[in-house]
Amino acid sequence: MSFVPGSFVNELPNVSRSAADAQPFGIVQVDDSGVIQLYNKWESEMAAVPVPSAEGKNFFTQVAPCTNNRLVFGKFKDGVAKGELDSEFNYTFTYKMKPTNVQIRLMRHAASRTNWVLVGMRAA
């Protein structure tokens, strides 16, 4: 069972900043190279990275370099190249914080050609 409500997935391409900030999980919209277009409040607070410091930077190499590996960034690049991506998996963030167990869902919304990194807390 995904931590992202199915009804919300369909709203992602048109999500407003206020709607994104109201969600109880991280929402990061990135372009095809990983540059952050939208970084919501939950993700900002969890990662201790202010929204203005994150947007416009590469998620995988500048904001969350602990994801610059085959499991996360590799899966993202493969999905973007194929034009199809929807993968959810457990992960542990380690950058700028104590190890934090999360669930990550990498998604590409085909119709809008937008990419999303969604992050939810995972029970210890």
Side-chain angles (χ1 to χ4, degrees):
M1 181 77 172
S2 179
F3 63 94
V4 183
S7 58
F8 187 75
V9 168
N10 297 326
E11 297 174 27
L12 277 172
N14 302 310
V15 71
S16 67
R17 181 171 300 278
S18 61
D21 284 346
Q23 300 308 308
F25 52 88
I27 299 172
V28 184
Q29 180 184 3
V30 295
D31 69 10
D32 288 354
S33 64
V35 175
I36 298 170
Q37 311 297 305
L38 173 73
Y39 194 76
N40 82 331
K41 181 180 176 197
W42 189 97
E43 185 67 19
S44 172
E45 290 174 354
M46 192 270 294
V49 177
V51 171
S53 298
E55 291 181 345
K57 298 223 171 72
N58 188 289
F59 178 78
F60 303 101
T61 61
Q62 296 176 291
V63 175
C66 64
T67 63
N68 187 12
N69 56 44
R70 181 82 195 113
L71 179 64
V72 185
F73 191 38
K75 196 173 288 205
F76 172 80
K77 287 191 299 188
D78 291 348
V80 168
K82 291 176 188 165
E84 185 176 306
L85 176 64
D86 191 354
S87 180
E88 188 168 323
F89 51 93
N90 293 332
Y91 195 71
T92 303
F93 279 133
T94 56
Y95 183 67
K96 285 190 176 180
M97 63 178 82
K98 66 180 175 37
T100 305
N101 295 325
V102 297
Q103 284 180 282
I104 294 179
R105 185 169 179 185
L106 300 175
M107 295 184 60
R108 181 170 176 89
H109 186 269
S112 65
R113 298 190 341 197
T114 56
N115 307 302
W116 303 88
V117 180
L118 307 171
V119 180
M121 294 305 292
R122 179 168 49 108

